[in-house]
Amino acid sequence: MIQEKEGVIEWVFIFIMTEDGRLIHLVADKGFVIEPGEEYFGPPEIVNVAYQAFNGKAGVTHIYEDRYGEWKTSFAPIIDDEGNIIAIVGCDYSKAYFNSEMQRLRKQLNIHF
């Protein structure tokens, strides 16, 4: 539903972290490339922001590349009623979408490089 409402998000997913620090995919929208229960292996750009979310700090990556493509990802913690972080929710934006939005903003703001 998040993906449908926003209209520009490629993927929405939830990860949990094991006691030994592994990121495990819990659930995602249709077509997500990682199966539930599968561990995510990615570059430091995304893993660092994911770990920060597990420490309570929402964040956004730089554009990075993993085996699934080129992305810009945001993560936020999911907190239970007792204040414990139980998982993180992430949203992926494709590099192509991000670049087209930056072009649109440059034109709107009359910024030239």
Side-chain angles (χ1 to χ4, degrees):
M1 291 180 68
I2 292 170
Q3 183 184 24
E4 290 174 12
K5 184 174 182 178
E6 291 298 320
V8 295
I9 297 172
E10 190 76 26
W11 310 111
V12 178
F13 44 85
I14 296 176
F15 285 161
I16 58 173
M17 186 188 306
T18 63
E19 289 184 15
D20 61 353
R22 297 181 302 128
L23 295 174
I24 305 296
H25 168 228
L26 184 62
V27 66
D29 57 323
K30 293 179 192 172
F32 190 57
V33 294
I34 303 172
E35 293 296 320
E38 187 177 335
E39 183 175 359
Y40 174 74
F41 297 99
E45 295 88 347
I46 188 172
V47 173
N48 290 339
V49 176
Y51 286 155
Q52 288 176 15
F54 275 108
N55 287 309
K57 183 179 177 187
V60 179
T61 67
H62 298 287
I63 293 175
Y64 66 91
E65 185 173 357
D66 64 10
R67 62 182 174 176
Y68 309 105
E70 292 182 288
W71 311 98
K72 189 167 188 72
T73 300
S74 61
F75 280 115
I78 298 174
I79 302 170
D80 68 12
D81 291 339
E82 297 170 358
N84 300 310
I85 297 170
I86 57 171
I88 58 174
V89 61
C91 300
D92 277 346
Y93 299 85
S94 71
K95 179 182 175 183
Y97 165 75
F98 183 77
N99 285 339
S100 69
E101 283 299 296
M102 292 305 293
Q103 288 249 3
R104 183 182 65 77
L105 285 171
R106 281 188 202 112
K107 287 180 184 177
Q108 278 184 331
L109 299 173
N110 199 23
I111 297 172
H112 303 280
F113 289 97

